[in-house]
Amino acid sequence: QMEGIGSGFDPQPNAQRNLRVGTPFDLPWHFGKSRNLGGGLEDWQGVAAEAARLQVAQHVTVAWLRLAAVEEMIGVEERRLSRMDQAVRLQSERFNLGEVAGMDVMQLELQRAQDASILRALQAQQRAMQAAIRQLAGDGVALPALGDLPALADDLPPWSISWEGEGVEDKVKRGPYFSSLDRRTEKDLLLSDLISATAWGRPEIQVEWEHIPSVEGLPSFDAFGFNLSVPLPLGKRGGQTKATAQAEARAAAAARERGRRELVQRAEAAWAEVESATARLEETEPLLDRLPRTEQSLSEQFRLGAITYLVYIDGLARLDDLMVQRIEAFEAFVRSRLELAVLLGDPNSFPLPSFKSLDTEE
């Protein structure tokens, strides 16, 4: 600061110069709050990074599983279309021999066109999902092929999670998602505590140098001093800052409770889905050995004219519906186990990725 400047911005003979250097500082009882906030922030960053990587891995894996299910659906539709091609050729030969009416041939052709349309839609969905996965995981990602989905379900460790003894809430609290939410809430609470403690400001210390010039024969001199400013808990501004910090702390605690409830609900839903998918697969498993014989019987009966095309189409549709239900059950089984793995941090439900390898270019 300079005092005594003339109209031409030149210093006057009595110009006085001051230099002040100051900084706010924490009081001794604030040191612990600042240190705790730093530690809480570091803890939250570590857990949040792990949870974020898990979330990305889960997102990519769910897309991969959905594509694997589409591959299985395409296989079912291709077999259905192949059977309809044979049925149309057989019915056309009968029409040429005068054994059936043209309407019978048209009905099969219409069904064949519908099946072909479904197959083309699935193939378009397949290409779109392949592009999406490559965008997420890179061009070198291994895309699923026909048979990978049931093979993956069979390779998973035996299902052994139970809510008996330790409840679902306790398991969820040990998981990475809740840990990240809990650490973030603790960080917000520590920040609110520090803001409340310093709502009226921090004390500040200043060191000052002052130069007084010589005036009318009086010698010039330099002066040094210091200034200590201590905030007083007066005024509305500090009270409003403290009230805002406390309200944000209550909001953070409420968000943690809401997040806990959502995570518990997701875990319970995933557990129920695994149980349901397991039961569906077990109930349909005994029918698999009978499917080839049933399909062959329907084809032979239709070829010999023992059943109409309506009975033939309906019978094959029931067989295909069974395969579709198993595909959906396989996808639900694996996807729900993945959900439980990331919610509970349990690699026995689904093999979780190695986080160290995710940090490398590989």
Side-chain angles (χ1 to χ4, degrees):
Q1 177 181 349
M2 177 180 291
E3 299 177 0
I5 299 178
S7 58
F9 296 99
D10 52 333
Q12 300 297 310
N14 61 346
Q16 178 180 336
R17 297 177 177 85
N18 297 78
L19 176 63
R20 299 182 184 92
V21 178
T23 181
F25 63 93
D26 288 328
L27 294 171
W29 50 89
H30 293 161
F31 292 159
K33 298 180 185 296
S34 298
R35 185 171 57 253
N36 293 337
L37 176 60
L41 180 60
E42 184 177 354
D43 291 342
W44 170 64
Q45 288 177 336
V47 177
E50 179 181 350
R53 288 192 290 266
L54 260 183
Q55 188 174 19
V56 172
Q58 181 183 12
H59 182 64
V60 175
T61 306
V62 168
W64 191 95
L65 292 175
R66 183 55 193 156
L67 177 58
V70 170
E71 294 285 353
E72 300 297 323
M73 296 287 190
I74 289 176
V76 172
E77 288 297 329
E78 287 177 343
R79 290 192 297 270
R80 178 183 298 179
L81 189 61
S82 177
R83 293 194 302 260
M84 290 308 302
D85 288 337
Q86 296 177 3
V88 169
R89 287 195 298 269
L90 180 59
Q91 201 76 336
S92 298
E93 292 176 359
R94 289 177 177 173
F95 172 73
N96 293 332
L97 296 175
E99 297 178 0
V100 296
M103 183 60 65
D104 295 338
V105 179
M106 180 175 293
Q107 291 294 331
L108 283 176
E109 290 176 341
L110 290 174
Q111 183 63 44
R112 193 262 177 205
Q114 180 180 357
D115 294 338
S117 177
I118 295 175
L119 177 60
R120 299 297 177 265
L122 286 173
Q123 290 173 339
Q125 185 179 0
Q126 174 195 41
R127 291 190 294 271
M129 297 180 69
Q130 288 174 346
I133 292 177
R134 289 192 182 98
Q135 182 180 9
L136 290 171
D139 294 334
V141 63
L143 297 176
L146 185 63
D148 283 352
L149 181 61
L152 176 59
D154 292 338
D155 288 341
L156 290 179
W159 173 245
S160 60
I161 290 183
S162 174
W163 299 146
E164 297 180 1
E166 186 181 26
V168 56
E169 182 174 343
D170 296 329
K171 293 180 180 291
V172 168
K173 283 184 176 180
R174 295 202 309 269
Y177 282 4
F178 181 79
S179 296
S180 174
L181 176 63
D182 186 57
R183 297 294 191 280
R184 184 181 66 183
T185 303
E186 290 300 324
K187 180 264 299 180
D188 292 339
L189 294 177
L190 292 172
L191 177 60
S192 173
D193 189 27
L194 180 60
I195 292 176
S196 298
T198 59
W200 280 273
R202 286 182 169 87
E204 183 177 357
I205 186 170
Q206 290 183 350
V207 179
E208 180 179 3
W209 165 76
E210 182 178 7
H211 176 71
I212 305 298
S214 60
V215 179
E216 297 180 353
L218 296 176
S220 64
F221 65 92
D222 295 326
F224 295 90
F226 71 93
N227 177 54
L228 178 64
S229 299
V230 180
L232 298 177
L234 302 175
K236 293 183 178 180
R237 183 175 181 179
Q240 292 173 347
T241 301
K242 186 174 182 179
T244 301
Q246 292 173 347
E248 292 178 350
R250 291 192 296 270
R256 175 171 56 184
E257 176 63 18
R258 183 173 61 253
R260 182 193 63 80
R261 293 174 181 269
E262 291 176 356
L263 292 175
V264 170
Q265 187 275 330
R266 284 175 55 182
E268 291 177 342
W271 181 84
E273 187 68 25
V274 171
E275 294 289 324
S276 174
T278 302
R280 288 154 60 190
L281 292 172
E282 291 176 350
E283 290 174 356
T284 56
E285 183 71 25
L287 301 176
L288 292 180
D289 295 337
R290 297 160 53 184
L291 289 183
R293 294 195 301 271
T294 303
E295 181 180 344
Q296 183 179 6
S297 175
L298 286 172
S299 299
E300 290 298 321
Q301 291 182 64
F302 178 70
R303 185 179 65 84
L304 297 174
I307 57 176
T308 65
Y309 70 91
L310 292 175
V311 176
Y312 178 65
I313 293 176
D314 181 68
L316 293 179
R318 291 177 183 273
L319 299 181
D320 292 338
D321 287 343
L322 178 64
M323 297 304 299
V324 170
Q325 291 174 12
R326 286 186 61 83
I327 293 171
E328 294 174 347
F330 275 125
E331 182 189 3
F333 177 77
V334 179
R335 187 186 67 248
S336 299
R337 290 191 58 164
L338 169 65
E339 175 83 345
L340 285 173
V342 297
L343 288 177
L344 309 182
D346 179 23
N348 293 324
S349 294
F350 193 91
L352 298 176
S354 172
F355 299 119
K356 291 183 179 179
S357 65
L358 291 178
D359 292 332
T360 63
E361 295 182 359
E362 181 182 359

